[in-house]
Amino acid sequence: MASEITIPRIDIPFAPSRTNPLEDGLYPATLEWARRFGLVTTDAAALRLRRYQIDVMVSYYAPTVSDWPALRLFTDWMTWAALFEDQIDEATAGLRPDLLAPVLDDFRTILLDETGSQVRPNPATAALADLWRRTVDVSPPTWRRRFYDHMSEAFRCQLRASVHRATGTPMDVATCMELRGRLGWVAFAHDLQHHTHRVWLPDTVYCSTAYQRLLWSAADIIMWTNDLVSYPKEAAAGETSNLALALQAQHGLAPQQAVDHVHSLITDRVQVFLEAGRELPGLLGSLHLSDEACSVAEQCMELLRMLVRGSHDWHLNCERYRPDGDAAAQEPAFDDLFGVAHDDTKDPTAP
C-alpha cells in the first residue's frame, strides 16, 4: 500500500532556508488579489490555498528582498500557477485536452501582447493579464522572451500530460523523466527570482551548458522530490505523471522499491547540480565578462541554491500533500477558472 512507504531523507547540501521578514503579509495580500479576479470564490477554496503555503515558498525563494510590490507580484504569480495546476490535476481541464488547448493558446496570446487578439474571458485570463501588465514594464526584452518560452513549454507539457489522463495511458519512465521538470514551473519560478531581485543574467551565461545543467538538474531534484512527497495522494488518484508510479508500473516494482529508486535518482541529480556549479566560475572567466556580469551570474547561481533548498524545505512542511488534513480543504469541487466545465458535448466529470 502507498501508505506503507517510507521516504528516505534527501540530502540537500545547502544551508536551511531563511524566511523573509515580510512573509506574514503575503498570504492575505495574495488572497485578496485572487478573490478580486475570481480565482478564489469560496471559503473552501481559500482554505485550500492557505494549505498550499505559497507565502512560505516565496519567502524561502526571496528571503532578503524588501521590495513589497515585487514580493507581492512573485506571490501572485505562484498563486496563479498553483491554481492552474488545480484546474489541470483535479478539476475538469486535465481530462479534456480538446478544451484545454485553446485555453493555453489564450494564455500565450496574453504573454505575447498580441494587439487586437481576442481571448475568452475567464478568471484565469483576467488574472494573467493583470500579472503580465505588472511584470512587463520592469523587465528587459531578453528576460521577457525567456519567461514566455518557459511558460509556453510548461503549457505544451501540460497538454501532453492531459492526453495521457484523458486516454488513461500511463506515462512510460522516459516520457515522465522528460516532462516532469517542465511540468512543475521550476524555470518559471527561477525567472521570477531574477525579476524579484532585479538581476538580469545575460544569454551568454544563461544559455551555456553549465547554467542549463544547473537549472534542469534543479528542476529534476525539485519535481522528483514532489513525486515522493505526493506519492500516497497520487497513487490513490491514479496520477499518470508521477515518476515513482511510472517506475512501479513499467518495471513491476513494489511501492517502496519505486520510491527508493526515485530517491537514488535525486541523489545523482544533486551531484550533477554541484558539478555544474563548480564549472561555472571557469566559464565566466573564459567569456571575459565584466565584473558586474560575473557578480550577477554568481548571484543567480545562489538563487538556484535557494530554489532547490527552499523547495525541499517547503515540500517537507507543506500541508498540500498531507492526506490527513481538513476535509473542507480537500473538497473535490473546484471553481471553473478556465471556462471549460460547462461544455455540453461530454460530461466533464467523466474520465
Side-chain angles (χ1 to χ4, degrees), residues 85-101:
E85 285 194 346
D86 278 351
Q87 295 292 296
I88 300 291
D89 295 346
E90 301 186 48
T92 303
L95 297 172
R96 294 297 305 274
D98 58 321
L99 301 180
L100 178 61

Side-chain angles (χ1 to χ4, degrees), residues 185-229:
W185 304 99
V186 175
F188 159 92
H190 186 47
D191 291 338
L192 289 170
Q193 283 184 304
H194 291 184
H195 191 277
T196 305
H197 290 81
R198 302 293 191 262
V199 292
W200 313 116
L201 188 64
D203 275 349
T204 48
V205 178
Y206 188 88
C207 297
S208 69
T209 298
Y211 203 88
Q212 289 298 299
R213 288 178 70 206
L214 278 166
L215 175 62
W216 294 111
S217 58
D220 287 340
I221 294 165
I222 291 167
M223 296 315 301
W224 296 348
T225 298
N226 177 282
D227 286 351
L228 293 186
V229 174

Side-chain angles (χ1 to χ4, degrees), residues 35 41 71 73 97 100 107 112 129 136 148 150 159 170 172 188 237 241 326 328 331 333 344:
R35 287 190 186 278
T41 63
L71 280 173
L73 181 59
L100 178 61
F107 296 159
L112 288 171
V136 69
Y148 170 81
H150 288 149
L159 190 61
D172 60 85
F188 159 92
S241 61
D326 189 295
E331 184 179 330
D344 293 329

Side-chain angles (χ1 to χ4, degrees), residues 326-342:
D326 189 295
Q330 301 185 35
E331 184 179 330
F334 286 83
D335 291 324
D336 175 22
L337 306 184
F338 292 176
V340 301
H342 304 296

Side-chain angles (χ1 to χ4, degrees), residues 49-277:
L49 181 62
R50 171 70 282 184
R51 289 169 58 81
Y52 292 177
Q53 296 177 280
I54 293 168
D55 51 338
V56 176
M57 177 195 297
V58 170
S59 178
Y60 288 167
Y61 291 171
T64 61
V65 173
S66 58
D67 182 342
W68 174 246
L71 280 173
R72 277 282 318 273
L73 181 59
F74 195 170
T75 311
D76 292 347
W77 269 115
M78 298 305 294
T79 295
W80 187 92
L83 296 175
F84 173 99
E85 285 194 346
D86 278 351
Q87 295 292 296
I88 300 291
D89 295 346
E90 301 186 48
T92 303
L95 297 172
R96 294 297 305 274
D98 58 321
L99 301 180
L100 178 61
V103 172
L104 299 180
D105 281 340
D106 283 346
F107 296 159
R108 292 186 178 97
T109 295
I110 292 169
L111 297 172
L112 288 171
D113 290 323
E114 293 182 347
T115 304
S117 297
Q118 297 295 315
V119 299
R120 282 159 286 264
N122 58 56
T125 54
L128 182 62
D130 174 74
L131 290 168
W132 191 233
R133 177 188 57 78
R134 292 158 59 196
T135 302
V136 69
D137 290 339
V138 286
S139 56
T142 299
W143 182 91
R144 295 198 299 270
R145 183 180 66 251
R146 193 182 295 159
F147 186 71
Y148 170 81
D149 288 344
H150 288 149
M151 286 200 75
S152 184
E153 175 72 358
F155 295 156
R156 186 185 68 82
C157 293
Q158 289 286 2
L159 190 61
R160 286 181 64 184
S162 175
V163 172
H164 280 271
R165 290 191 189 95
T167 60
T169 307
M171 282 189 189
D172 60 85
V173 173
T175 300
C176 194
M177 293 182 75
E178 174 195 353
L179 295 186
R180 198 67 188 98
R182 288 162 172 79
L183 284 169
W185 304 99
V186 175
F188 159 92
H190 186 47
D191 291 338
L192 289 170
Q193 283 184 304
H194 291 184
H195 191 277
T196 305
H197 290 81
R198 302 293 191 262
V199 292
W200 313 116
L201 188 64
D203 275 349
T204 48
V205 178
Y206 188 88
C207 297
S208 69
T209 298
Y211 203 88
Q212 289 298 299
R213 288 178 70 206
L214 278 166
L215 175 62
W216 294 111
S217 58
D220 287 340
I221 294 165
I222 291 167
M223 296 315 301
W224 296 348
T225 298
N226 177 282
D227 286 351
L228 293 186
V229 174
S230 62
Y231 177 91
K233 176 181 176 181
E234 294 186 344
E239 178 56 61
T240 61
S241 61
N242 183 299
L243 182 55
L245 291 171
L247 284 162
Q248 188 177 330
Q250 184 169 329
H251 298 299
L253 302 180
Q256 188 64 51
Q257 290 176 309
V259 165
D260 290 344
H261 193 128
V262 173
H263 179 265
S264 69
L265 292 172
I266 293 170
T267 300
D268 291 343
R269 282 296 192 272
V270 170
Q271 293 307 309
V272 171
F273 184 93
L274 295 174
E275 290 166 7

